[in-house]
Amino acid sequence: MASLASVFSAICVSLLLSPASGIDFNYPAVFNFGDSNSDTGDLIAAGIGDPLLPPNGRAYFSKPAGRFCDGRLIIDFLMDAMDMPFLNAYLDSVGAPSFQKGCNFAAAGSTILPATKYSVSPFSFGIQVAQFFRFKNQVLQLQTKGKKIRKSIPQADYFHQGLYMFDIGQNDLAGAFYSKTEDQVIASIPKILSEFESGLKKLYDQGARKFWIHNTGPLGCLSQNIVIFGKDPSKLDKFGCVSSHNRAAKLFNIQLHTLCTKLRGVFADATITYIDVFTIKFNLIANFSRYGFENPTAACCGYGGLPLNYDPRIACGQTKVLKGRSAMAKACDDATEYINWDGIHYTEAANLHVSSQILTGRYSDPPFADQMPFALKLKF
């Protein structure tokens, strides 16, 4: 596969040839809410679950960096595209992290609905919003404490001028399939989105005006779900993905899109951008060889070997005794050949592809194609 640098170069050249006007992407700060798709270290900082082990982070950070990936996430690429530093996790206090350009409240395993005793993460969307309010209140108090502290926190007006990003809902659907039928999962979608709307309204009432909302991806194409729910070949589509999970994801996205349209009429002077991540990711999986990938659904870092290389008993980098024998979930030699990193999350190479497609503006509502001045600032 072509190097990430050469792919970035191609993106920049294509954007340079397009006129750039009409949309202002010059945000002073970004506040992000979500799950592992955009968690830059929150769950790990909270000390919940197993620690992230090598080879996580190897492609870019050379060590585990709080991300469930071999390198950068979509949000990292988008921050880079806006010429902004990577977002620090809200709960990560080691190393005197700077929050001047925003804060990341996303935590792996999080859901929109309130957490239950079975939840991986206690930091549901409502909790993340509450954490944001505490963060904002603390920042406003610290603004009066002198110039030194102000260098590491957002200015007061950044909370109104900043971009609010959301990538959450995947775990509500994926988790529900373990105890509910497809019809029951689909029936729960309005309740999930009602909770999401409530959180958005609280943020709007506190001054948020610029909303950037990702829909959920093709859950049925994740190695984890194929291994657990795809044992019967009749449950799979022609791409080897679990049909029920993808149907639920599509219906969730239709209703999420409808909610975004509705809120444009409710939230005066707000901008709401809906990003169709599902289509980008599904197109990548369906046409993987066209984009330089060799394995559309197998995990790069896992155990069990092809075709899926995923075993739910052992996470990437772990060594365990299975059936009396030592087993280790190792990484493949070249992750740029894989879309899936660990059975649940995407590789850095796949995240780069998704990010580059988002940056075309063709997969958003409203679209912003040919209006991407910031994309020329991508760092290689």
Side-chain angles (χ1 to χ4, degrees):
M1 183 178 179
S3 69
L4 298 188
S6 64
V7 175
F8 260 142
S9 298
I11 296 168
C12 290
V13 169
S14 65
L15 289 167
L16 184 61
L17 297 176
S18 299
S21 62
I23 285 187
D24 179 16
F25 281 94
N26 189 27
Y27 302 109
V30 173
F31 305 101
N32 184 71
F33 306 81
D35 51 33
S36 57
N37 288 317
S38 60
D39 179 2
T40 55
D42 215 54
L43 192 74
I44 299 301
I48 296 174
D50 296 328
L52 274 180
L53 302 172
N56 286 289
R58 72 178 187 181
Y60 183 80
F61 303 99
S62 301
K63 61 181 180 180
R67 295 155 172 82
F68 291 79
C69 182
D70 62 321
R72 289 163 288 184
L73 307 177
I74 293 170
I75 190 169
D76 293 320
F77 287 115
L78 296 183
M79 293 298 293
D80 201 37
M82 291 185 282
D83 201 25
M84 299 178 73
F86 295 159
L87 285 179
N88 286 312
Y90 171 67
L91 294 178
D92 194 357
S93 59
V94 179
S98 173
F99 297 102
Q100 186 180 42
K101 296 295 184 179
C103 184
N104 192 359
F105 301 89
S110 295
T111 53
I112 293 175
L113 292 176
T116 69
K117 63 180 180 180
Y118 302 108
S119 298
V120 173
S121 164
F123 306 114
S124 62
F125 183 52
I127 297 297
Q128 292 181 28
V129 171
Q131 289 175 330
F132 167 79
F133 291 147
R134 183 181 187 280
F135 173 83
K136 180 181 178 181
N137 290 336
Q138 289 290 101
V139 166
L140 295 179
Q141 291 177 30
L142 290 171
Q143 287 290 348
T144 64
K145 300 299 183 181
K147 293 183 179 179
K148 186 176 181 180
I149 189 66
R150 288 203 295 268
K151 292 181 179 179
S152 60
I153 59 176
Q155 296 180 24
D157 56 357
Y158 285 8
F159 293 104
H160 179 73
Q161 299 171 1
L163 179 65
Y164 291 74
M165 301 181 72
F166 308 87
D167 191 334
I168 193 166
Q170 174 174 318
N171 293 317
D172 291 90
L173 300 180
F177 271 102
Y178 286 90
S179 60
K180 297 180 179 179
T181 66
E182 179 183 350
D183 287 343
Q184 289 172 327
V185 173
I186 291 171
S188 71
I189 292 175
K191 180 181 179 181
I192 297 169
L193 291 179
S194 177
E195 182 75 12
F196 187 57
E197 180 180 5
S198 176
L200 294 181
K201 186 177 187 303
K202 290 177 182 177
L203 291 169
Y204 175 82
D205 290 341
Q206 284 284 326
R209 289 297 180 269
K210 300 174 178 66
F211 299 85
W212 177 282
I213 301 172
H214 289 189
N215 70 10
T216 201
L219 311 178
C221 298
L222 299 178
S223 319
Q224 180 189 64
N225 290 328
I226 299 172
V227 165
I228 296 173
F229 297 96
K231 294 182 176 66
D232 180 352
S234 68
K235 304 293 185 182
L236 305 177
D237 64 17
K238 65 179 181 180
F239 302 107
C241 303
V242 183
S243 300
S244 59
H245 285 58
N246 282 351
R247 282 194 296 264
K250 288 179 181 178
L251 289 171
F252 175 89
N253 291 338
I254 289 172
Q255 294 183 48
L256 175 62
H257 195 183
T258 299
L259 173 61
C260 291
T261 302
K262 166 192 164 184
L263 292 179
R264 290 192 189 106
V266 176
F267 292 173
D269 68 350
T271 59
I272 300 173
T273 304
Y274 169 89
I275 308 296
D276 186 8
V277 173
F278 183 100
T279 295
I280 297 173
K281 288 184 174 180
F282 192 78
N283 285 344
L284 172 59
I285 291 165
N287 303 287
F288 65 95
S289 59
R290 179 188 305 173
Y291 298 111
F293 293 89
E294 296 184 10
N295 294 282
T297 54
C300 167
C301 188
Y303 177 77
L306 296 176
L308 293 172
N309 194 38
Y310 179 79
D311 189 314
R313 298 170 295 179
I314 179 168
C316 175
Q318 289 184 342
T319 299
K320 290 186 175 181
V321 176
L322 301 179
K323 295 183 179 180
R325 300 179 61 181
S326 178
M328 181 177 184
K330 299 179 180 179
C332 60
D333 292 332
D334 186 0
T336 65
E337 296 177 352
Y338 287 72
I339 293 172
N340 196 295
W341 168 241
D342 58 4
I344 305 171
H345 310 98
Y346 281 37
T347 61
E348 178 181 83
N351 286 332
L352 168 61
H353 172 83
V354 175
S355 303
S356 70
Q357 294 303 300
I358 290 173
L359 291 173
T360 66
R362 296 195 301 266
Y363 296 92
S364 70
D365 178 26
F368 52 86
D370 300 336
Q371 296 175 335
M372 304 299 295
F374 69 83
L376 301 179
K377 300 176 183 178
L378 288 167
K379 298 189 222 21
F380 306 146

